[in-house]
Amino acid sequence: MRIAVAGATGNIGKLTVAALERDGHDVVRVSRSLGVDLLTGEGLDKALDGVEAVVDAISSEATDRDESVAYFGTTTTNLLAAEERAGVRHHVLLSIIGIHGVEGNAHYAGKREQERLVSAGPVPWTIVPVAQFHDFAEMVAGWTEQDGVATIAPLLVQPIAPADVADVLAEIAVGDPQGRYADVAGPEPQDLVDMARRTLAARGRTVRLVPTWSGLFGTEMAGDVLLPGEGARIAPTTFDEWLADQK
């Protein structure tokens, strides 16, 4: 199949491209750095020529709610319109577990807008809600680290290996649209603070971690809010296995 991956130069996008090419598919990389701008639509029609399915793995660093909603709204609208013109038969959206139960997070607000547009849009779709990635804790600590100290929320998550996410997206993309897919998560619940501590130690770094709910993640994300629901698809790679490969 000829399959396009939006966000092809990002963490999950690169791995999804590799998974699809490994399975013998013709992959079109969609990224602003490669000449395709989802915000303006520039290059989209040419990129989607002959494409049968699109995997949307784009992300945003916006920390303002309105900015996040605007970014995901514009890019998704442009992408879906171009897909309709090209006759794309399947739009696969990478989303996040628990976003509908958390109002205060700007990124989640943008992802909800993305889901709304896809589910109401003209292209048959599958939305894939996925848990936080195994490298998420280290990234969060990096946002606030200063002088060897970082604040981090004690979130309870069931993290998944990025490569496992890519394999699931590649598998779904070549099949029929399924609507809202089951939650996809790793094998074991983990505490984000402990994940950060262990990841940093594996990198040979010493950072003092201060657990707090005063940052980007508030108490509305505490407890089991970010854990997968019943009937979840459990990916094989544990956090320990992933961590062993980081050393």
Side-chain angles (χ1 to χ4, degrees):
M1 288 177 60
R2 185 171 173 82
I3 301 172
V5 176
T9 58
N11 182 20
I12 301 300
K14 286 188 291 188
L15 292 169
T16 303
V17 167
L20 288 165
E21 290 182 337
R22 175 198 66 204
D23 295 338
H25 300 288
D26 178 17
V27 182
V28 178
R29 294 164 174 81
V30 174
S31 173
R32 186 164 51 186
S33 65
L34 301 175
V36 185
D37 192 335
L38 292 176
L39 280 172
T40 65
E42 181 181 358
L44 256 180
D45 287 332
K46 181 179 179 180
L48 297 186
D49 185 30
V51 165
E52 299 172 72
V54 172
V55 176
D56 184 354
I58 67 170
S59 189
S60 169
E61 297 179 356
T63 56
D64 176 80
R65 182 189 182 95
D66 290 343
E67 184 181 344
S68 177
V69 171
Y71 174 81
F72 282 115
T74 301
T75 54
T76 302
T77 297
N78 288 340
L79 185 56
L80 291 173
E83 289 176 21
E84 184 179 27
R85 292 192 295 271
V88 172
R89 66 167 187 81
H90 191 186
H91 181 96
V92 180
L93 173 63
L94 171 62
S95 193
I96 307 170
I97 291 172
I99 62 172
H100 295 280
V102 178
E103 283 296 323
N105 184 281
H107 186 67
Y108 284 16
K111 294 299 290 184
R112 286 195 297 273
E113 175 66 3
Q114 201 178 25
E115 286 196 6
R116 184 188 70 81
L117 291 168
V118 168
S119 60
V123 181
W125 53 274
T126 305
I127 292 174
V128 188
V130 173
Q132 286 69 29
F133 310 141
H134 283 157
D135 53 2
F136 180 68
E138 180 184 23
M139 179 178 69
V140 171
W143 292 343
T144 63
E145 183 185 344
Q146 189 172 2
D147 298 327
V149 179
T151 57
I152 185 168
L155 297 176
L156 183 62
V157 297
Q158 194 160 323
I160 183 170
D164 287 346
V165 176
D167 285 342
V168 170
L169 293 175
E171 172 197 314
I172 291 172
V174 302
D176 294 328
Q178 302 183 54
R180 190 167 190 87
Y181 196 75
D183 290 348
V184 182
E188 304 164 326
Q190 301 281 346
D191 171 75
L192 198 69
V193 179
D194 184 60
M195 288 173 62
R197 177 185 59 78
R198 294 168 62 196
T199 306
L200 290 164
R203 307 270 195 230
R205 301 193 60 227
T206 301
V207 178
R208 185 167 71 87
L209 299 173
V210 180
T212 179
W213 291 109
S214 64
L216 290 175
F217 306 126
T219 53
E220 63 178 341
M221 300 174 76
D224 63 359
V225 172
L226 301 182
L227 296 182
E230 291 186 12
R233 176 171 177 174
I234 303 302
T237 308
T238 67
F239 180 68
D240 286 343
E241 289 168 338
W242 173 84
L243 196 60
D245 288 339
Q246 308 306 302
K247 297 177 180 178

